[in-house]
Amino acid sequence: MYRIFLLPFAFSLVACGGGSSGGDNKPPTPSTTSSPTTISSSSSSLNAVKSTDVKEITSNFGAYAALLNNGNVITWGHVDSGGDSSSISHQLTNVVKVYASEFAFAALKSDGTVVAWGRKDYGGDASLVQAELKEVVSISASTTRFAAIKKDSTAVIWGWYIDSTPTNNNFTNIKEIAFTNDNLIIALKKDDSLQFLQIPQSEVPINEEFTSIIDAEHVVTTYYSFSLIKKDGGIAYSNHDRGDHFLQ
């Protein structure tokens, strides 16, 4: 659903499609309404961007965010999806990577801080954890949440159903975080063990065999399931919606 376009060659930016889905590349105009075609730029309008300015483009359900080579970010598309970043454009500088949930964006800056915008309940509002978003080295995204891994290997999570810091304080020694879209958060720790968090608590508990795995190497997820690649080459799979699972 979400795409990152790497742009190593010269090109021209042309927006196509319906205006409500990011297909309007008109310059931004002042507006007091939530027009779905509003475009915002941190330094200039989309039409003024040169073909050599853009490093990559990240998209979500209805908007785009272009990371420029100078570290600035411009956006266009549906306002409710983060297509209007005019209110925080002064913060979208020195950005090294942009990540997308279904209706929001999060930008990782060179100083290790994070700027989020878009729909609040999809991770577009990080105000509850903003003080913790320092020394961030990477971000993971699901359709409804973001997770930032910090230099000290702790993790900060915000978005749907994440509303307080105690949840985040439980994540330490983290190497990688993955999400299913059914409210399961999976943390792969540096000792190769796993930590699970279900929000809200699922009726199907995580099988005890998975919580005791100590040789996980990588986690891959779908909407209702996850698979683990183990260091011995084995694969573990669990569908926590149906309760299906296997280990080999």
Side-chain angles (χ1 to χ4, degrees):
M1 180 180 295
Y2 320 116
R3 299 177 176 87
I4 295 178
F5 303 92
L6 300 179
L7 306 166
F9 305 109
F11 72 102
S12 297
L13 273 178
V14 179
C16 303
S20 63
S21 296
D24 189 341
N25 67 343
K26 296 177 183 178
T29 55
S31 175
T32 57
T33 63
S34 296
S35 169
T37 59
T38 298
I39 299 171
S40 170
S41 169
S42 57
S43 59
S44 60
S45 71
L46 178 63
N47 287 336
V49 175
K50 297 179 181 178
S51 62
T52 55
D53 286 345
V54 180
K55 183 177 181 180
E56 65 181 35
I57 299 176
T58 304
S59 65
N60 60 22
F61 187 85
Y64 297 91
L67 174 59
L68 306 185
N69 287 317
N70 64 5
N72 292 344
V73 173
I74 61 171
T75 60
W76 66 98
H78 203 293
V79 171
D80 288 343
S81 297
D84 181 3
S85 58
S86 56
S87 64
I88 46 94
S89 61
H90 61 287
Q91 300 178 54
L92 293 176
T93 58
N94 300 314
V95 173
V96 296
K97 191 75 175 176
V98 178
Y99 303 83
S101 69
E102 190 168 18
F103 296 106
F105 294 103
L108 175 59
K109 302 184 64 169
S110 59
D111 63 359
T113 60
V114 175
V115 180
W117 73 99
R119 276 187 59 169
K120 293 182 178 181
D121 51 346
Y122 281 75
D125 181 0
S127 58
L128 290 173
V129 295
Q130 195 68 58
E132 300 177 63
L133 292 174
K134 300 175 181 178
E135 297 188 323
V136 174
V137 295
S138 66
I139 296 176
S140 298
S142 73
T143 56
T144 58
R145 300 183 183 92
F146 293 101
I149 298 178
K150 301 177 64 171
K151 186 178 180 179
D152 63 1
S153 300
T154 59
V156 180
I157 303 171
W158 72 98
W160 190 267
Y161 272 103
I162 304 290
D163 57 4
S164 60
T165 55
T167 295
N168 294 311
N169 291 339
N170 294 327
F171 285 90
T172 59
N173 200 32
I174 300 301
K175 178 168 62 175
E176 177 183 331
I177 285 185
F179 302 87
T180 71
N181 294 334
D182 190 39
N183 299 318
L184 177 65
I185 302 171
I186 307 164
L188 174 58
K189 310 192 81 168
K190 285 190 172 181
D191 63 2
D192 302 321
S193 64
L194 298 167
Q195 183 176 347
F196 298 91
L197 179 64
Q198 292 169 293
I199 304 173
Q201 187 66 38
S202 171
E203 295 180 1
V204 181
I206 300 299
N207 190 282
E208 190 174 305
E209 292 177 280
F210 289 89
T211 60
S212 61
I213 288 177
I214 57 172
D215 63 345
E217 188 168 47
H218 184 54
V219 183
V220 182
T221 63
T222 67
Y223 195 99
Y224 285 116
S225 67
F226 63 90
S227 291
L228 308 172
I229 301 173
K230 300 171 66 178
K231 287 198 167 182
D232 63 3
I235 295 175
Y237 163 82
S238 176
N239 185 309
H240 50 282
D241 180 55
R242 299 195 306 263
D244 299 340
H245 71 277
F246 69 79
L247 291 90
Q248 67 178 38

